Amino acid sequence: MLEKLNAIPKDKLLHFFVGALISFPLVYLFTYYGFLVSLLIFASKEIIIDKIYRLGKMEYRDFIWSSIPALFYLIIKVL
């Protein structure tokens, strides 16, 4: 199990961690709207900062890794 966790690239773990920090208060306070706003933030980062300003490499996987905690929080909040 630890080998699989160590195989995850550090960049993806960073996206997961920052996604958790951004999405937790939004989903906690606004549930579905907070989930949508957090997805909008993650997509905007990839499109505006990485694609338009070319300050990074735009990857859909970064968006997915950032969105996973928001989805987890939404599922926990609704159930």
Side-chain angles (χ1 to χ4, degrees):
M1 176 104 169
L2 288 176
E3 292 174 8
K4 292 189 183 223
L5 288 175
N6 286 332
I8 299 173
K10 302 280 188 248
D11 173 55
K12 305 307 180 223
L13 291 176
L14 185 61
H15 277 277
F16 185 88
F17 179 71
V18 172
L21 290 176
I22 291 172
S23 62
F24 177 73
L26 291 171
V27 173
Y28 182 76
L29 294 173
F30 306 111
T31 313
Y32 294 110
Y33 293 117
F35 175 73
L36 293 174
V37 168
S38 63
L39 293 183
L40 182 65
I41 291 170
F42 304 143
S44 298
K45 185 269 179 197
E46 291 300 317
I47 293 169
I48 295 171
I49 294 175
D50 292 345
K51 185 175 183 180
I52 295 174
Y53 288 118
R54 299 179 191 261
L55 296 176
K57 182 179 177 189
M58 187 176 121
E59 294 183 38
Y60 71 92
R61 290 181 185 167
D62 289 346
F63 172 75
I64 298 296
W65 277 95
S66 299
S67 302
I68 290 172
L71 183 61
F72 286 164
Y73 292 143
L74 182 66
I75 291 170
I76 291 170
K77 174 96 179 188
V78 171
L79 296 178

